Amino acid sequence: SIRRGHCSILSAMLLLAVLLNATSAFTCDEYAAYPGAVFDGMQSQTLQSPHPYCNNLNVTQTFSFSDSSAVQVKFQFNNTFIESYDTLTVSYTTASGIDMTENFTGEVVNDFYVDGTEFKLTFVSDSSVTYYGYDILAT
């Protein structure tokens, strides 16, 4: 028999297993066709790739936040790409007019601020192995 305390541990382990093996609710074709979005008001938005992502992607999406002077970009749990082969690039222009680029590959753990109201995500994958991809919380 399972004691009460063990049920919550088992439930948490099951939830973690589901999250680690999660698949996205959209296809790679839908992802590739999505140009980005303009968000009115500064509410948190989750931006994500397909899980797992597909081979041969080269997708750029633009995201704008109309009521903000800066956007914090937080990578969520389990953001992984094939190191050196698949990349996520975040590009933006600062409020002072400087073009900035952040490149991510492998396991992503960095959070950063976009000094402006708009940024572009470019996700490129090669023709072989794929991993989970990314989940980003923009606030």
Side-chain angles (χ1 to χ4, degrees):
S1 74
I2 297 175
R3 288 183 279 154
R4 176 175 249 174
H6 291 114
C7 288
S8 61
I9 292 171
L10 290 173
S11 296
M13 290 172 65
L14 178 61
L15 176 60
L16 181 59
V18 168
L19 289 173
L20 288 174
N21 293 308
T23 57
S24 56
F26 51 89
T27 67
C28 287
D29 288 338
E30 291 169 330
Y31 172 74
Y34 182 62
V38 175
F39 301 110
D40 293 326
M42 194 52 224
Q43 53 192 342
S44 296
Q45 300 294 330
T46 300
L47 316 172
Q48 59 182 228
S49 68
H51 309 311
Y53 58 85
C54 302
N55 290 321
N56 302 311
L57 286 175
N58 188 346
V59 177
T60 299
Q61 300 167 323
T62 302
F63 297 95
S64 298
F65 292 81
S66 62
D67 293 340
S68 176
S69 60
V71 178
Q72 182 177 17
V73 177
K74 295 180 178 182
F75 287 95
Q76 301 297 296
F77 183 72
N78 203 27
N79 294 285
T80 55
F81 318 102
I82 300 295
E83 193 156 354
S84 301
Y85 296 100
D86 303 333
T87 59
L88 176 67
T89 301
V90 181
S91 55
Y92 59 96
T93 302
T94 66
S96 57
I98 300 170
D99 291 333
M100 301 293 292
T101 301
E102 304 276 351
N103 292 302
F104 302 96
T105 189
E107 290 191 27
V108 177
V109 294
N110 304 30
D111 294 342
F112 61 94
Y113 285 92
V114 172
D115 180 19
T117 61
E118 180 177 287
F119 62 92
K120 292 182 181 183
L121 295 178
T122 301
F123 189 52
V124 178
S125 65
D126 69 359
S127 61
S128 62
V129 181
T130 62
Y131 275 100
Y132 181 84
Y134 66 86
D135 292 314
I136 294 174
L137 181 65
T139 57

